[in-house]
Amino acid sequence: AFGREPISGPVVAVHDGDTLRIGPHTVRLANIDAPELAQDGGQASRAALVNICAGQWARATVVDVDRYRRLVALVTCGQTDANRVMVAAGHAWVFSRYNRDVSLPGIEAQARAARAGLWAADGPVPPWVWRAGHRAAVVIGMRG
């Protein structure tokens, strides 16, 4: 999937703050991680991506395929760099484990300093920490 021409088409659905559908393709925004829908800030993050991308013509430059077979991509909706704007508006973290964009940590620092989006709350929980805790709770629940 990667190394080929970018995918382009209408954004037909937004799943959460870092996953959408461009035509038939499920696309995960590269370099970022947004709160899960059930997590604090998750609904606001999804709403932000809906505002940026829903109904827009999108272009996705695929950089990888994840373990769920989603295309991982840099996504432009209309003229807006969705990956970058989600971080700048405080609706997503830089996913440092996978980030390849050296400018994103500085953009996240500016959003934090401005207390934008999820940074308005004291001590927002990164989604990878939330998911790990949720998985642990499910496993404990299955044992008990």
Side-chain angles (χ1 to χ4, degrees):
F2 42 102
R4 66 176 185 184
E5 288 297 310
I7 293 165
S8 61
V11 174
V12 296
V14 175
H15 175 69
D16 57 22
D18 57 29
T19 307
L20 46 72
R21 288 186 63 80
I22 299 173
H25 305 283
T26 300
V27 179
R28 171 82 162 67
L29 276 64
N31 304 320
I32 72 170
D33 200 6
E36 298 296 327
L37 290 173
Q39 184 181 356
D40 287 345
Q43 295 294 330
S45 180
R46 180 186 181 278
L49 191 57
V50 165
N51 271 348
I52 295 166
C53 292
Q56 294 285 319
W57 190 263
R59 179 179 172 95
T61 302
V62 179
V63 298
D64 205 352
V65 176
D66 72 10
R67 63 184 173 160
Y68 303 108
R69 296 189 179 162
R70 297 175 297 191
L71 304 177
V72 178
L74 303 173
V75 177
T76 301
C77 296
Q79 300 300 313
T80 303
D81 179 333
N83 308 57
R84 185 172 298 269
V85 169
M86 288 298 288
V87 172
H91 292 296
W93 276 259
V94 175
F95 203 173
S96 55
R97 181 175 174 187
Y98 299 104
N99 180 40
R100 297 179 187 165
D101 182 340
V102 297
S103 69
L104 278 181
I107 292 168
E108 180 183 286
Q110 290 174 342
R112 283 179 188 243
R115 295 186 66 84
L118 60 92
W119 305 114
D122 289 328
V125 177
W128 55 89
V129 172
W130 188 89
R131 287 190 296 266
H134 186 70
R135 280 192 297 271
V138 169
V139 169
I140 290 166
M142 290 171 64
R143 288 183 190 154

